[in-house]
């Protein structure tokens, strides 16, 4: 078996040798444990930045005597021309590396015994991740909050130079910068500013972006490399990878340290900008292979689609017909106009929890259940939860039980992200494994339907697939999304130019593609999937790109968020403003990993398609 090659670099400047030995011995133990699970080859380059002949000689003698203590690692000592800086010192090793993974580690960083094993497990399972950031603790066991958002000039000043009383007054800003609104016991991504004390890179994207920017002598080189890595791959915090950092901030200790920090901060700001507010991170959508589907199934399978005359239903039926499925479209009334021969309409009137589907399930292989009582911004029912339960739970359960009894192979239920909740901290998206926390009757009813279906799957042969989409857009979209697009077309100034939240959206074509993939993919059976476009946007960014699709300028006024929220409360539109201003992100890596699925259409392409539809109406 060809071993996985892991290279590493460690930059030294007048080092404390007992501390270096402790760092290397910890790596040796971690390497030994990782080798029990993987075939591995380790190498580590020690880069001497000290610029002192006598010290370099003593390091050479020390290394020869210590080498046998870390037999798993091939150690090499290189001498730089002088103190060339942290990033440039690491680059000497990075540019020569012929490895799968490259570890950049500080000389006072001690990995836990299973750190390399956990890092390898994660990276091997997630090929779209270019940089892994660990959970960092002090020697006293205290957690260090080192997942950070992009720094601004204000944050640089507050953390490095401001008096303690000012830091205390503006603690909320620092907490937000350190992503303390996220749960550090869970994955966090994207991490815009990863810690530099332990950076586990995939070597190919690291070399592709040119390693560290050598203009940074010390400080902010990690912020810069993390930001550039996000342009080609994901940057993820993984809490199971644990390290201990013998860390001491030196910014206030000497004038020289302060000047180095100021210079690096200035370089970073000139390169990336951001005085009071950082520019939004631009994350390249993940790469993956196109959805893999059975070539036989589509030509033989008969699919019943409920809610076939809705926004999603019409798009799904059109796609199924194109893919040569036999489609039975359940609608209230048959359309008056002629339809494709492969599309058979079933007029059922008003479905209810007592509807008899016995005859309709004859020769049906799969059901896609879209029909539902949808979320209403202005609810009029006396008991909304009872109404939602009647349609979304009882009706769904009745339909599924009859389908299972008739021998239907698979039941695909399109649920809602509202099952997970309404908002997420930035960088910590919803996943399928999160404990559901629906906050309104619609979300509660969708969760109850999911639970009923999964219970049914335990007692029948019918397979269940649950899909939770975020806000869906595309040709034919209605409600608030359609309204905003109309305003953009007309050039109406909108007070939405200062929104820095992140939201996941899904184009109708991407949702339909995942539904079709789930019809017959073996790995989809009895699974839950979240779905989005794989690229999160601010509402401001969405409107700007929508305007670009129409070849028009976006007239967006930078109204502060607190004023928008106040206006929402004043005019009774608080829920609408909340959806505009809050963050809601979802993670679609499960669909990528289990199904080999990736969104086939980009955000910009979907917006262009939507804009063309609106212009042609």
């Amino acid at each position: 078996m060809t071993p996985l090659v892991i290279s590493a670099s460690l930059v030294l400047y007048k080092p404390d040798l007992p501390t270096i030995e402790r760092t290397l011995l910890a790596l040796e133990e971690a390497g030994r444990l990782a080798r029990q699970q993987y075939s591995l080859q380790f190498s580590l380059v020690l880069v001497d930045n000290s610029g002192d002949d006598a010290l370099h000689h003593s390091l050479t003698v020390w290394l020869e005597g210590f080498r046998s203590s870390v037999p798993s690692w091939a150690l090499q000592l290189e001498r730089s021309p002088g103190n060339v800086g942290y990033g440039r010192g690491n680059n000497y090793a990075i540019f020569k590396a012929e490895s799968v993974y490259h570890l950049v580690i500080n000389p006072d960083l001690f990995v836990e015994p299973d750190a390399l094993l956990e890092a390898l497990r994660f990276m091997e399972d997630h090929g779209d991740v270019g940089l892994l950031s660990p959970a960092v603790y002090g020697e006293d066991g205290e957690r260090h909050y080192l997942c950070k958002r992009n720094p601004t000039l204000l944050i640089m000043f507050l953390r490095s130079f401001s008096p303690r009383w000012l830091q205390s007054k503006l603690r909320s800003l620092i907490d937000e910068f350190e992503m303390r609104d996220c749960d550090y016991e869970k994955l966090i991504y994207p991490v815009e500013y990863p810690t530099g004390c332990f950076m586990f890179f995939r070597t190919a994207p690291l070399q592709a972006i040119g390693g560290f920017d050598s203009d940074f002598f010390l400080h902010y080189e990690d912020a810069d490399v993390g930001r550039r890595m996000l342009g080609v791959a994901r940057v993820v915090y993984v809490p199971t990878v644990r390290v201990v950092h013998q860390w001491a901030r030196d910014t206030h200790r000497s004038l020289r340290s302060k000047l180095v920090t100021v210079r690096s901060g200035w370089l970073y700001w000139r390169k990336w900008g951001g005085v009071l507010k950082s520019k939004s991170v631009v994350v390249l959508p993940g790469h993956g292979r196109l959805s893999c589907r059975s070539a036989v199934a589509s030509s033989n399978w008969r699919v019943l689609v409920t809610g076939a005359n809705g926004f999603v239903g019409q798009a799904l039926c059109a796609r199924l017909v194109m893919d040569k499925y036999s489609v039975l479209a359940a609608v209230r009334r048959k359309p008056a106009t002629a339809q494709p021969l492969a599309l058979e309409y079933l007029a059922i009137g008003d479905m209810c929890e007592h509807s008899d589907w016995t005859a309709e399930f004859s020769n049906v292989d799969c059901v896609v259940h879209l029909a539902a009582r949808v979320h209403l911004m202005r609810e009029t029912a006396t008991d909304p939860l009872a109404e939602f339960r009647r349609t979304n739970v009882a009706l769904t359960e009745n339909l599924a039980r009859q389908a299972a009894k008739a021998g239907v192979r698979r039941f695909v239920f399109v649920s809602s992200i509202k099952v997970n909740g309404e908002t997420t901290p930035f960088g910590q998206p919803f996943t399928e494994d999160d404990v559901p926390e629906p906050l309104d009757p619609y979300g509660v009813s969708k969760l109850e339907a999911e639970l009923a279906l999964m219970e049914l799957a335990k007692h029948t042969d019918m397979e269940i697939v649950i899909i939770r989409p975020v806000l869906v857009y595309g040709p034919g979209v209605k409600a608030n999304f359609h309204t905003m697009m109309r305003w953009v077309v007309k050039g109406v100034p909108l007070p939405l130019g200062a929104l820095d939240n992140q939201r996941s959206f899904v184009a109708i074509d991407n949702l339909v593609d995942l539904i079709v993939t789930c019809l017959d993919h073996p790995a989809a059976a009895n699974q839950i999937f979240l779905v989005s476009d794989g690229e999160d946007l601010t509402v401001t960014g969405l409107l700007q790109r929508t305007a670009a699709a129409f070849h028009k300028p976006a007239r967006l006024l930078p109204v502060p968020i607190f004023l928008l929220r106040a206006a929402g409360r004043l005019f009774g539109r608080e829920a609408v403003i909340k959806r505009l201003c809050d963050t809601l992100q979802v993670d679609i890596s499960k669909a990528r990993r289990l199904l080999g699925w990736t969104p086939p259409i980009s955000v910009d392409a979907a917006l262009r398609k939507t804009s063309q539809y609106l212009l042609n109406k």
Side-chain angles (χ1 to χ4, degrees):
M1 179 185 296
T2 303
L4 276 174
V5 179
I6 299 178
S7 57
S9 54
L10 193 158
V11 174
L12 305 175
Y13 180 75
K14 299 179 180 180
D16 176 66
L17 291 183
T19 302
I20 298 298
E21 290 180 357
R22 184 180 169 190
T23 296
L24 296 178
L25 289 172
L27 281 175
E28 171 64 22
E29 176 62 17
R32 185 191 64 78
L33 189 62
R35 275 182 162 169
Q36 296 178 8
Q37 301 290 327
Y38 295 93
S39 176
L40 300 170
Q41 179 180 322
F42 297 107
S43 66
L44 187 146
V45 177
L46 297 158
V47 181
D48 179 16
N49 263 6
S50 303
D52 185 306
D53 292 342
L55 180 56
H56 184 72
H57 176 72
S58 66
L59 284 173
T60 303
V61 174
W62 162 79
L63 183 60
E64 289 307 312
F66 184 75
R67 193 185 300 274
S68 61
S69 300
V70 286
S72 298
W73 291 81
L75 301 181
Q76 177 185 348
L77 178 64
E78 284 203 10
R79 185 178 185 184
S80 65
N83 192 3
V84 297
Y86 180 80
R88 182 175 292 182
N90 278 294
N91 282 347
Y92 286 128
I94 290 168
F95 294 154
K96 296 177 182 178
E98 297 180 356
S99 58
V100 178
Y101 301 108
H102 184 86
L103 171 64
V104 172
I105 187 170
N106 274 16
D108 55 356
L109 191 287
F110 319 123
V111 299
E112 291 292 306
D114 63 348
L116 290 181
L117 176 60
E118 291 295 332
L120 281 168
R121 282 174 174 166
F122 185 85
M123 296 293 273
E124 287 292 285
D125 287 343
H126 301 83
D128 58 343
V129 176
L131 171 56
L132 180 151
S133 192
V136 184
Y137 296 85
E139 291 189 286
D140 58 359
E142 183 178 351
R143 181 189 295 279
H144 292 176
Y145 292 89
L146 298 182
C147 294
K148 299 182 286 292
R149 296 185 166 101
N150 290 328
T152 62
L153 281 182
L154 174 61
I155 286 294
M156 292 176 189
F157 168 74
L158 285 177
R159 297 184 81 239
S160 300
F161 301 107
S162 66
R164 291 188 181 277
W165 67 265
L166 184 58
Q167 290 186 2
S168 178
K169 289 288 186 183
L170 299 178
R171 185 69 238 180
S172 61
L173 292 179
I174 297 174
D175 286 349
E176 182 183 8
F177 170 69
E178 294 175 349
M179 303 186 78
R180 295 194 186 219
D181 54 332
C182 293
D183 184 350
Y184 270 68
E185 292 298 327
K186 297 180 179 180
L187 297 177
I188 300 175
Y189 50 91
V191 179
E192 297 174 335
Y193 181 173
T195 177
C197 66
F198 177 104
M199 309 183 88
F200 197 76
F201 289 99
R202 200 176 300 275
T203 306
L206 175 61
Q207 292 175 336
I209 64 174
F212 289 95
D213 186 336
S214 58
D215 285 343
F216 293 92
F217 180 79
L218 186 65
H219 302 309
Y220 297 112
E221 71 286 329
D222 42 6
D224 173 78
V225 78
R227 198 158 182 169
R228 288 185 290 116
M229 180 59 74
L230 281 172
V232 298
R234 289 204 296 160
V235 179
V236 180
Y237 162 84
V238 181
T240 56
V241 181
R242 295 166 58 97
V243 302
V244 175
H245 194 195
Q246 194 183 73
W247 177 84
R249 178 176 287 280
D250 68 348
T251 302
H252 294 287
R253 291 186 176 180
S254 69
L255 177 61
R256 182 179 181 277
S257 295
K258 290 182 178 180
L259 291 175
V260 168
T261 302
V262 169
R263 179 182 181 277
S264 294
W266 176 251
L267 284 172
Y268 181 90
W269 180 76
R270 290 195 63 186
K271 184 172 184 177
W272 296 106
V275 178
L276 302 177
K277 175 181 169 183
S278 169
K279 295 180 180 178
S280 299
V281 62
V282 178
V283 183
L284 187 74
H287 299 286
R289 50 193 185 86
L290 292 174
S291 55
C292 175
R293 297 183 51 251
S294 163
V296 177
S298 63
S299 62
N300 297 322
W301 276 35
R302 181 171 172 82
V303 180
L304 186 148
V305 179
T306 69
N309 55 354
F311 172 47
V312 177
Q314 292 183 51
L316 175 62
C317 289
R319 168 66 185 272
L320 291 173
V321 169
M322 184 177 68
D323 285 359
K324 307 303 182 184
Y325 283 90
S326 172
V327 182
L328 182 58
V331 294
R332 284 190 176 89
R333 291 176 296 276
K334 290 184 179 180
T337 57
Q339 301 298 319
L341 293 177
L343 187 62
E344 179 185 348
Y345 277 95
L346 173 65
I348 56 173
D350 292 325
M351 287 190 296
C352 72
E353 65 271 32
H354 304 298
S355 298
D356 184 357
W357 295 84
T358 305
E360 285 72 24
F361 282 136
S362 176
N363 299 319
V364 167
D365 297 287
C366 185
V367 173
V368 179
H369 184 38
L370 298 171
R373 187 177 194 267
V374 299
H375 172 70
L376 301 172
M377 295 301 294
R378 295 182 178 179
E379 181 61 69
T380 58
T382 305
D383 187 351
L385 182 56
E387 290 300 313
F388 278 116
R389 280 175 169 158
R390 186 177 67 83
T391 303
N392 296 349
V393 183
L395 186 154
T396 299
E397 192 170 4
N398 174 60
L399 180 71
R401 286 191 180 282
Q402 293 188 52
K405 186 176 181 180
V408 172
R409 303 181 193 182
R410 185 168 288 187
F411 189 99
V412 179
F413 177 59
V414 178
S415 183
S416 169
I417 196 57
K418 281 179 166 287
V419 168
N420 288 71
E422 297 290 339
T423 64
T424 60
F426 174 78
Q428 200 154 58
F430 283 135
T431 71
E432 293 85 353
D433 295 329
D434 289 334
V435 177
E437 294 185 359
L439 297 181
D440 65 8
Y442 174 72
V444 169
S445 70
K446 284 290 190 177
L447 173 60
E448 291 177 354
E450 290 184 11
L451 294 174
L453 290 173
M454 285 304 190
E455 186 64 25
L456 181 65
K458 295 177 183 178
H459 305 290
T460 68
D461 293 330
M462 186 173 71
E463 297 168 344
I464 301 294
V465 185
I466 294 169
I467 298 174
R468 296 177 188 164
V470 291
L471 178 65
V472 187
Y473 68 97
V477 66
K478 305 293 185 184
N480 291 332
F481 199 99
H482 177 268
T483 302
M484 283 198 303
M485 294 195 80
R486 281 292 183 193
W487 285 343
V488 169
V489 173
K490 295 178 179 178
V492 176
L494 300 174
L496 305 175
L499 300 180
D500 58 358
N501 61 328
Q502 293 280 321
R503 294 197 72 90
S504 298
F505 301 93
V506 63
I508 184 69
D509 289 343
N510 289 333
L511 173 57
V512 165
D513 190 74
L514 180 62
I515 294 172
V516 174
T517 299
C518 288
L519 288 179
D520 63 341
H521 198 298
N526 301 320
Q527 296 291 335
I528 298 172
F529 297 102
L530 307 188
V531 59
S532 77
D533 290 330
E535 179 184 2
D536 298 337
L537 301 170
T538 65
V539 172
T540 299
L542 174 67
L543 293 173
Q544 289 169 339
R545 289 165 75 165
T546 299
F550 284 108
H551 303 291
K552 291 179 177 290
R555 304 184 188 280
L556 304 177
L557 306 178
V559 176
I561 294 176
F562 76 90
L563 289 180
L564 290 177
R565 294 189 187 277
R569 289 191 293 270
L570 180 63
F571 294 105
R573 304 291 285 173
E574 192 170 1
V576 175
I577 297 300
K578 184 176 175 63
R579 295 182 72 181
L580 288 172
C581 297
D582 287 350
T583 289
L584 192 156
Q585 298 173 283
V586 301
D587 173 15
I588 63 170
S589 60
K590 181 178 178 180
R592 295 183 191 276
R593 185 177 68 255
L594 284 186
L595 309 180
W597 180 82
T598 196
I601 186 170
S602 69
V603 171
D604 289 322
L607 288 174
R608 285 195 298 271
K609 190 172 181 179
T610 307
S611 66
Q612 291 169 0
Y613 173 85
L614 287 175
L615 290 173
N616 292 332
K617 282 191 68 177

